[in-house]
Every structure is written in structure tokens, then in C-alpha cells.
Amino acid sequence: MSKKKQDIIIVVCVITIVLSICAILCIHYSNKRNDFVFNEHLDKEVLRVYDDEYAQEITLQELGYYIINVEGDIDDMAHQFNSDNLNAYWNVKLGKGLYTTRKYAKDLVIDKCVMDNIYYIEAIKSGVTLTEDEEELAGEDARLVLKNLTSRQMDVMDYSYEDLYNIMIKLYITSKYVNGLVEDGYTMEEIELKGSYYEELKKAYSYKVDDIWESVKLGNLTVKTKED
């Protein structure tokens, strides 16, 4: 056998081995994602929002509050779109490429949580605090949310009253700060996502999403589908 033929055979073998390893790794990664159990990672820090002075670390359980709200809203739309095949709406392509409603929902969860935490940090910087009455209202909201959670949502998020109370306190402080901006003359359109005020404020902040977020799939995490 000529040296040229030997070299070709060696190259082909190397390429075959590399492709085989890649295939094994892809299968392993796919299985790892499919085996992901959300409620086994609730205390995992999944999002960090920060500037030069302050930082907020958000666990998967806290982010779950946003997941419940976003997933619930899109599930309502999915029922209107095609009640016999709820996945049809989740898989709708938005624009070109592979960007679907499902991907949009995941991005929206992060965007909403980042925005709230940016405003929360701004509130802390400004010395915003709650009165006793406002803390009591936050507690009442926490009890109401806990009461209205479905068994599926509780199985996934495993919330206690204290968990929800802490989330409500943050949201109340954030809301109080945002209401102050409105009183200062800013419109809700300017303050909300994509609003001019918020977009300018966001430039002073950074955020980092942990790789674990890639393993989370929305569409039937806290809501039921026809297949359930």
C-alpha cells in the first residue's frame, strides 16, 4: 500500500473517531438536559444583576415566580390559538431562524427579572423602605399567592410562605421606587421594558445567566398540556 493511501486512511479514521466522540457528547448532553429536574436545583444561583457597587443574586426558586407568570400568560394564549395542541403556539416561529414563542418566553422571564432587580437596586441606593402597613400587605399577597398556587406549581417550586414573602418584599420595594418615578413625571411607557428611561438606566448594569438556565424548558413546566 502506498504512503498516500495510508495517509488517506489515517485521516478518514481520525475524522470518524472525532465525529463519533462528538455524537456521544451530543447524546450525553441531550440526555443530561432531558433528565434535568427543576426542583432539585431551586437554591442554585441562576442570575446575577450588578453594577459597580451592588449585586443581586437570584436563585432558580426566586426566578420561578417569573416563570409562573410568564408561562401562565403564554399558556392562556396557547389555549386561544389551538386548545387541542397547546405546543403549536409554543413552537410558533417569531421572525426568521429558530426563534420561537418558547425561546421568547425564556428571554422574557430573564428580562423581567433583570428589570425588577435593577429597579430594586436603585431603590436600595435611594433608601426606599417599607412601612409596617406595606410589609403587612406584602405578607397578605404572599399568603394569597401561596393559596392560589396549583399543585403542579408547588411541586415544581416548593415555595414556603417565607420564600414568597421575601419575593413580595422585593417587589413592593421595587414598585414603591417605580411609583416614585411616576410621581416625578416619568411615564410607565418610559419605565417599562424597552422604555427610554429603563434602556438608559440599564446601560449602567450588567447581568449574568448561569448555564443551568439552558436546561430549563418552558411550555409545560408549571402549566399542563394535553399530553399530561
Side-chain angles (χ1 to χ4, degrees):
M1 183 182 296
S2 67
K3 186 176 185 306
K4 184 177 181 180
K5 286 184 178 180
Q6 287 180 330
D7 291 342
I8 292 174
I9 292 173
I10 291 173
V11 170
V12 170
C13 288
V14 169
I15 292 174
T16 301
I17 292 171
V18 170
L19 290 175
S20 297
I21 292 173
C22 289
I24 292 171
L25 290 174
C26 287
I27 292 172
H28 173 74
Y29 180 68
S30 177
N31 289 337
K32 185 177 180 181
R33 290 186 62 182
N34 291 337
D35 291 341
F36 180 77
V37 180
F38 190 96
N39 62 11
E40 292 180 358
H41 305 272
L42 295 177
D43 60 349
K44 172 72 175 180
E45 180 186 316
V46 67
L47 175 64
R48 187 172 189 267
V49 181
Y50 58 97
D51 67 358
D52 294 335
E53 298 179 78
Y54 294 85
Q56 281 293 302
E57 290 82 24
I58 295 91
T59 65
L60 195 58
Q61 188 180 53
E62 182 176 348
L63 190 66
Y65 180 81
Y66 294 85
I67 292 174
I68 288 174
N69 283 283
V70 169
E71 202 172 38
D73 288 343
I74 294 182
D75 182 62
D76 289 340
M77 299 178 205
H79 276 86
Q80 296 176 29
F81 184 77
N82 187 344
S83 60
D84 293 324
N85 180 12
L86 300 179
N87 277 323
Y89 187 75
W90 284 95
N91 294 328
V92 167
K93 291 184 178 180
L94 307 176
K96 298 180 180 180
L98 301 176
Y99 196 74
T100 63
T101 303
R102 197 183 307 277
K103 173 60 176 171
Y104 164 76
K106 287 192 69 174
D107 289 346
L108 186 59
V109 166
I110 296 296
D111 289 343
K112 282 180 172 289
C113 190
V114 167
M115 181 181 70
D116 282 354
N117 277 276
I118 286 177
Y119 280 132
Y120 177 74
I121 293 173
E122 290 292 305
I124 298 302
K125 289 179 181 180
S126 300
V128 175
T129 58
L130 299 180
T131 64
E132 289 185 8
D133 288 343
E134 289 168 337
E135 290 178 353
E136 287 182 10
L137 288 173
E140 290 176 9
D141 280 358
R143 279 187 284 270
L144 185 61
V145 171
L146 188 61
K147 179 181 178 181
N148 290 325
L149 287 175
T150 65
S151 58
R152 187 188 189 96
Q153 290 166 343
M154 276 299 296
D155 287 343
V156 174
M157 301 302 173
D158 194 28
Y159 285 129
S160 65
Y161 166 77
E162 289 73 21
D163 295 327
L164 290 170
Y165 177 72
N166 290 332
I167 292 173
M168 290 301 114
I169 287 292
K170 281 186 69 173
L171 291 177
Y172 263 68
I173 291 174
T174 299
S175 179
K176 190 170 184 176
Y177 177 78
V178 169
N179 288 338
L181 292 177
V182 173
E183 291 174 0
D184 289 339
Y186 293 100
T187 66
M188 289 306 300
E189 288 75 16
E190 292 173 313
I191 296 170
E192 291 173 347
L193 281 174
K194 309 302 181 183
S196 58
Y197 178 86
Y198 173 65
E199 287 299 312
E200 187 63 29
L201 175 63
K202 191 170 68 171
K203 293 177 182 178
Y205 286 84
S206 300
Y207 71 91
K208 182 179 180 181
V209 182
D210 190 84
D211 291 342
I212 196 173
W213 184 237
E214 292 297 321
S215 299
V216 178
K217 181 180 179 181
L218 300 190
N220 65 344
L221 183 62
T222 64
V223 294
K224 290 186 177 182
T225 67
K226 292 291 183 179
E227 290 74 26
D228 292 335

